Structures are given as structure tokens and as C-alpha cells.
Amino acid sequence: MSKKLFLLDAMALVYRAHFALIARPIFTSKGVNTSALYGFTQTLLQILNEQKPTHIAVVFDTDAPTHRHREFAEYKSQRQSMPEDLSAALPSIRRMIAAFNIPLLECDGCEADDIIGTLVKEAWKHDFTSYMVTPDKDFGQLVSDRSFLYKPSRMGEGIEIMGVKEILGRWGIERTDQVVDILGLMGDASDNIPGVPGIGEKTASKLIAQFGTVENLLARTSELKGKIKETVEKHREEALLSKRLATIHCDSPVSLDIEGLRLRDRNDEAVKELCLEFEFNTIGKRLFGDDFKAGRDFGRGGAEPGNRGAEPEKKESLEPAELDFSVAAAPAPPVPSAELKSLKDVPHDYKAIRTASERADLIETLKKARRFAIAAECSHPDPKQACLTGLAFSTEPHQARFVELPSDEKEKNRIVGEFASLLQDESAEIIGHDLKQIVGVLRWTGFCVHARLFDTMLAHSLLEPDMRHSLRYLAESCLGYTPIAPPAETPASPALNLTLNPNLNPPSSSQAALEQADLALQLRDNLEPQLKQKGQEKVFYQIEAALVPALAEMEYEGIRVDARALTEFGQGLARQMADTEKSIYELAGGEFNLNSPKQLGEVLFERLKLLEKAKKTKTGQYATNEQVLQELAGTHPIVQKILDYRTASKLKSTYVDTLPTAIWLKSGRIHTSFRQASTATGRLASDNPNLQNIPIRTEQGREIRKAFVPRDENYLLLSADYSQIELRIIAALGKEAGLIEAFRQNLDIHTATAARVFGVFLHLVTPEMRRKAKMVNYGIAYGISAFGLAQRLGIPRREAAEIIEHYFAQFPGVRNYMSSTIEFAREQGYVETVTGRRRYMRDIRSSNMTVRSGAERNAINAPIQGSAADMIKIAMAHIHRELCQRKLKTRMLLQVHDELVFDLHKSEEPEVKALVEDKMKHAILLEVPIVVEIGIGQNWLEAH
């Protein structure tokens, strides 16, 4: 068998794993960030399972300085300190490596690059095929016919194995060792290697392709011309220094111990314990299947001490005796233990119900229980497309009954109708996971649910807002149980079975629904005490659970969209884009691919030279994002044209071309899906399609709202919008008398703020003063800094600092709210909305100023944004209930941030306007008056 050596560059992989998940980090139920450990473990498993190495090692850097630091003091000096979560993860990563019985190599004075280079060079002599596992491009210089650069998969991109051909093609060179010459010219920002100023990857590749090496280039600068010649000659020492710094040394004091690097069997007990300690249940199941026997005492929500796993086998040192170059095999500390079970491990009583008498008995049981869990089996995850094939009920743990439903619609409705009184009994409690999905399926089948609801997904979203809320995750983390057919990770796409096998009792396809009902019942008893303990009962019962029927009904109703109007608008946008594109080419002096950031950057910064030192992305291309273009808007007319083109293009692709495809043919309406558990602040989100972000500030964006129209000639659209609700909440939370009084006098709040901040009478406030005050008013909710305000207003930082200072002097209650909220978050670890909804601030005590500042901004904003979200949710639940009880024809259709949209029956206009305004104004009582702006029109824009 061929010998395959894999050498893993530990810190490069760990950093990569941590930052790959920085937007959505993975936390355990105890709040431990496991992103780096999870990503590293996945990479390790991918290599072991797919590449089948015969020899392997993980190589770490140490904190000791190397020859590079001695030669160039600024080497890597620009790097920020390691993120705390990542630093805390390193011991666990070392434990995982030890549990897999893989040698861990490190040596003071040597970087991991040099150790890997030395071992690869030695391995070549022993007929090994070597793989350097790292995302670091520097390793390209070591690639040969027997050594390869192995880049692990990231974000679904797949692995990349680069040999000689790929390296030569990537850099446009003749030999792989020329990679170091290219790096010498272009430098490396990640390591603070200077390179030659002004020479990027493209130019460096051309120069090395022409001259072969940095030394040859410097010896033949007479062949260069213009600025390149001047720059290279001026910075010859930097080029030589950079090449030395980028060169991987293959003569480190380490020898290849072939036997020591041989792949060995992992320590299963140690790996199992780590998987359960860090809640890597999917990995554990994949590795050990039904033998996965470690974890926590999930059922009681606490931990109980368990037996310690066997110690990992220690390896012999692979280095000369005088060097501290040993295998790390630190023993893992004791972790609690329990058992992850599945359906076959747990005694259960699941039965199918097929006859009328069996259904009658079940209904009687459910009536007596007064509370029961429910799950639906459907043919499709989308309620409006789903064919209901069965309902599962559970009243006791490990017991469930499945009611089979026929395909004949009339007979199906008759059977479901037998359960209608239970579903509509307001004194009964229905339990389930993602109940909006089930309520929606029943609504499309023709039945409404009025019983009290306990949704385990929503309960967990209040207890752990930043974590996952899928049934699988909750079952594994709370019950120590892996479902046999878990739902998908997104609430909108549960795993629903398609067929029934009448020969089984119960049918195999109904097992998922039976299990889901059973688990929901068990989870209810696990989560309900935690809601009480964390003070979340009011938020759960009065806001989230009460909102479910309203959202299900809104999804059922949908909204009518005039596809023809969108088509005509799209045609106008296309013509505008064509004209704008033509103007851009004229201003640019030639055609190029306008949708290529690379080509656009070259036009703006090389051809037109709009900036002397333009920003570049990590890939070396010029940055041409919207922020960059906005900053350049006044420098050349082409910039505004590009911004106009992008705006029109985004409108067309995101809304104009997409919305007509979302119209449900059977209803002729768009039925978006509202998500309650997807944001930590409590705000609702929507998808399929997302209607939350339809623009309103630009004239073109407003045109899209024109296409949203009433259902027929008997209706109009009514829009009800909270006026400046977040500013009113800030005033109330801070008990800020100045702002409260301005709102009570119904003054324009931005004009009133400007008058106080700039010390002038109201009638002397200029539009520019008002603009600055408005930016401060809204920026305060997000913890805006002087730097941020200066950037947004285009004013000096000193002036911005003075404006903020004057603001706080005039409105001390706002500053007091900010400081007291941050202090509360530091003491308690969370902040609360007016209703008591919590947002946990795990980084509020971080010693890293950047991380801590971000947490402080979130702490300030969460009570404001969350209280606004709670307010409109309460209003929606109350309005929906009133519309139903009064048997009105008006229907609530959409919620978009602080706005509600209704199909208003013309005959009900006075009653509905009064109802909506009353429920929205009095959803939460604050010291500041709440204003609701109501408009009515033939389309959404006209109503708004």
C-alpha cells in the first residue's frame, strides 16, 4: 500500500474554522463557543474518512519568537490578539487531537510552516506522498510531484488538492519554488510581510514569469520602464527581505519518525465524551451509531458526574532530545455521562387508529386529558401545498396514537371534523413543535384552531435566543434522544412523510409523526419550568403563543399582487439600465463587464485613477462595494451612474422579476411565511418571498408597493404604521423628560432635538441641523460613535463628537439608559425588553475591546428593538382575535417591521380603523404617547 502522510497546519485551520462561522457561531447549551473545535474536527474526519492517510500529524505554532521575528521586528505585529473564544477552544482542540491518537508537534523557535516543510522534504526520501493541509498560499513553494497542497472544504466549496500543474497555473510561473519570489514582491498582509509597495499579485506574477527570481529582477532593472522601474529600485531591500521572510525553511531541527507518525486507532471513549461534552451529537452518531453512549443528564436539565473515559495513549517524542518537541496528550477532564437513545432503545406505545370507534375512544381520552400534543403527517412541507395524510396525538410520554386519513377530501374532512371541537376548545392546551406549521395545514384543510398553544420551538427560542430550535436539536440536548426522522433545521421545512403502509400497526411512515407528538409532550414538561425560572412566561403565553393563530391566518390569506404592473415596471427598469450602462461606457472610455467587480475596479482605479491608494479585498481585487462607491460619489459622474445601475438591477432581480413567480396559482396571491424564532431580538422575519425588505425610501423602490393591491373592488388596502416607535421607546426607557415632552406636544422630534442640541429656537432649525439631529436620534439606538456619525454625515470627527456630547447634555436620560443597561448586562449577563424578553450578552465582559463594544451596542439596542417587536406582536394577536370575534370581513395580511397591512372591506372602514389604532396604541403602555399613522388606498403605496 502506498504511504500517504498528512500534515495539518493547526493554527491556520483553527482560525479558518472559527471565522467561517463568525456570523452564526455554534454554542453549546451552556454558552461555550465550539465553532473552531467543530470545524477542525470536521476537517480531521474528512481527511481520515476520505483520504485514508497511513501517517498523520498536527503541527502547532508556539508563542516563542522565530528567526523571522529576529530579522524583522514587525513580522506579524499587525495581528490582533487571538479572539477569546478561539483561545479558550485551543485546549479542547488539543484534547480532540489526543483522543484521535494523532501526534501533535510543536517546537519553540520554529513555525509550523518550517516543521511541515522539513518533514515533507524528509518524507520524499522515503517514498511518501505528502499532503500539506492548510489554506495558506505560502505552501505552494513546497509542492512537487510527491507533495501536494490540500485545502479543506469551507462553506460548501469542496476540498481543493493542488499539485504542480495547479500551482503553476495559479501563479503563471514555470517552477513551484517561484511562489516565494512572487510573495517577495507582492508581500503578505496577513503576516505583515511588506513586499514592494504598489506591486500586487498580477504584476508580481508577470515580473517573475519574465525574470525568474527576485534577484534576477533586481539585477536587470534597466529592462524595466516608468514607475515600476523606479519602485523596484527604490524598494530592492524590502523585496529581498520579504522573500526571505516568505521562504519556508526545510532544515528545522526535526527528524522524520515514520513509526511515530503512523495512523493509530482512535480512543473511542475519549472521542465519545468530547462529542457529548460539546454536544456534537451528529458527529457522535456518525462515528459510533447506536453505541454513542456519552453525554449529560438531559432529562433533568442538569449534569451528574460520570465515569471518566480511558486516557489517550501517549506518543513518543519525534524530535531530538534537546528540543521541547513532544506529542501533546493532555488528559481530558471528567465529563458527565448519559446515553443518547433512539426509538428502538425506549419502550413506547405507538398505535394506528383506523376505525370510527377507535377514534371515538381517542377523542374521549383527549377530552379528559385537557392537554395533548399534536403532529401532522403531510405530503409537502408547504401548508398550502400539503395533503394531510394523518394526525398524531400524545397525552402521556412514550405513548402516541396516529389517525390515518383517506385521500378522498370529503371523507378526510369528515374525520378531521370529529376532532374540531377539541381544536377549538379555548380551555384545552395543544402542544407541538412549530405549531404554526400544523395550524396552517389544518387551516388549508378547512379547520381553525382556537385552543391554547404550547409551542416547544417558541419556548426554546425565548430560553436560548441565539441557538438552534429544531426538534432534533431539542430532543438531543434536552432529552438525550435522537429522533428517527428529525425535521429539517428550518422551521418552514419539517420532514414530512409521503406514504402509508396499511399492513403495519402503526404504519412505518407514521412513526415520524407519532414520535414528534411524543417528543413535543416530553419537551413541554422540560421547557415550561425553565420559562418560569427565567421569567419568560408572560412573553411566551401572551405574545409568542398568542400570535401563532394570527400568523397562520395571515399566511393563509396572502396578498394580491398585480403581476402586469410589475412587468411594465420591469420593462421600464430594463430600459433605464440599458441607458445607464451606455453612459457608463462612455464615461469609462470603453466597454467592460459592469457586473465584474474586478473589471470595474480596474476601470475606476487604474484607468480613471479615482483614488491614489484604493482599498483592496482579501483576494487582491479593488473594493467596489456600495460603501466605497458612496464615498467616491462626488469625485466623478461615473460613480453615481454605477450606483444608479446597481439600484435598478437589484430592484429588478430581487423584486420585479421574482415576485410574480411567488404568486400561488390556485389563489392568485402571494403567501409569504412568517418566522417567529429566527431573530434573537424577537423581530419577525419572512421568506418565500421575503417581504420585510421591500424598499420605501427611493422613488423606484416605492413603485414596487404599487403592485400590491386589494383582493377585489369591495376592498381597499389599509396600512397602519407606528410613528417613530423606537425613539419613543428610547424616551420611555430612559425616562428622558425632554424627549417625552416633545412627543407629548406632537413636535417634529428631529426638529425639536436639533433645536436643543444646537441651542436655537424651533423656527431657526435648518434642514442641515435637522438632518444631523435625525442621524443622532436613530444612531443612539445602535450605540453610534463619533467616528460612525462623522462617516454618515460627512463631517469631521471632532464636530461629530461635539454633536453627540451636546445631545447627551440635553438628554441625560438617554445616556443614563445606555450606561445603566450596559451595567445591568455586565451584572446579569442579559438585557430585557419592556415585557421581559431576554437577550443574552455572552461577550459583555470580554477583555477584547472590539468584541466587548459590539456586545455593548447590542445590549443598548436589544431592549429598544425587542420592545418594538413585542408591541406589534401583541397588537397583531389582539387585532386578529377581534376580527374573528366580530366576524368582520377585513383581513390582516402583512407585517413589515412597524407596519401592518390589511385587506379592508369598504363597509367596515370606520370600525376597523378605530380597532386597529386602539389595539396598536395600547399594546404596551408607556410614559410617552404612541402614535399610529393609518392610510387607505387602492394599493400599498397609496395606503402608506
Side-chain angles (χ1 to χ4, degrees), residues 908-921:
E908 299 170 352
E909 180 178 331
E911 182 178 6
V912 170
K913 283 181 66 176
L915 164 64
V916 170
E917 183 176 18
D918 176 65
K919 296 304 179 186
M920 291 181 71
K921 288 178 67 172

Side-chain angles (χ1 to χ4, degrees), residues 727-921:
L727 292 182
R728 294 172 192 269
I729 291 172
I730 292 172
L733 292 176
K735 296 181 172 27
E736 174 44 59
L739 289 176
I740 292 173
E741 185 59 28
F743 280 122
R744 285 176 176 167
Q745 293 183 29
N746 200 27
L747 300 176
D748 177 89
I749 193 63
H750 304 309
T751 301
T753 300
R756 296 189 61 161
V757 169
F758 295 105
V760 299
F761 291 111
L762 282 170
H763 68 278
L764 295 178
V765 172
T766 66
E768 181 63 15
M769 290 178 181
R770 185 184 184 279
R771 183 177 77 91
K772 292 176 179 178
K774 181 178 181 179
M775 187 62 70
V776 177
N777 271 334
Y778 284 117
I780 287 297
Y782 297 90
I784 196 169
S785 63
F787 176 76
L789 183 63
Q791 274 198 323
R792 295 187 192 186
L793 292 176
I795 60 176
R797 187 172 178 179
R798 182 175 179 179
E799 181 184 348
E802 290 175 355
I803 291 174
I804 292 176
E805 195 56 40
H806 289 161
Y807 180 93
F808 285 136
Q810 291 298 317
F811 304 112
V814 176
R815 170 172 272 174
N816 180 63
Y817 160 74
M818 296 170 67
S819 58
S820 63
T821 299
I822 291 172
E823 186 60 32
F824 180 89
R826 287 199 186 113
E827 292 176 359
Q828 304 296 328
Y830 62 86
V831 291
E832 290 183 325
T833 66
V834 173
T835 65
R837 180 191 301 273
R838 292 184 182 180
R839 174 84 188 272
Y840 293 92
M841 298 292 153
R842 291 183 168 91
D843 297 323
I844 197 71
R845 302 185 192 95
S846 173
S847 60
N848 183 306
M849 186 180 71
T850 302
V851 174
R852 185 177 65 254
S853 297
E856 290 174 350
R857 287 192 296 271
N858 284 336
I860 294 168
N861 175 251
I864 300 166
Q865 195 175 99
S867 295
D870 289 342
M871 185 176 290
I872 199 164
K873 283 181 173 181
I874 292 170
M876 291 169 69
H878 290 172
I879 291 169
H880 170 70
R881 179 172 294 182
E882 285 290 316
L883 291 175
C884 292
Q885 290 180 348
R886 299 186 192 185
K887 295 182 171 29
L888 296 175
K889 297 176 182 177
T890 295
R891 294 291 182 266
M892 185 162 56
L893 309 180
L894 295 180
Q895 183 270 351
V896 180
H897 302 310
D898 303 323
E899 178 184 8
L900 297 177
V901 180
F902 299 80
D903 252 338
L904 170 69
H905 196 272
K906 292 178 180 178
S907 67
E908 299 170 352
E909 180 178 331
E911 182 178 6
V912 170
K913 283 181 66 176
L915 164 64
V916 170
E917 183 176 18
D918 176 65
K919 296 304 179 186
M920 291 181 71
K921 288 178 67 172

Side-chain angles (χ1 to χ4, degrees), residues 7 56-57 103-105 119 253-262 264 315-321 323 325-327:
L7 297 169
I56 190 169
L104 188 157
L105 312 177
L119 293 177
V254 52
S255 59
L256 180 69
D257 182 340
I258 294 176
E259 191 57 33
L261 296 181
R262 189 179 298 279
R264 304 186 187 186
K315 303 288 186 297
E316 295 179 357
S317 173
L318 304 179
E319 73 300 345
L323 291 174
F325 187 67
S326 57
V327 175

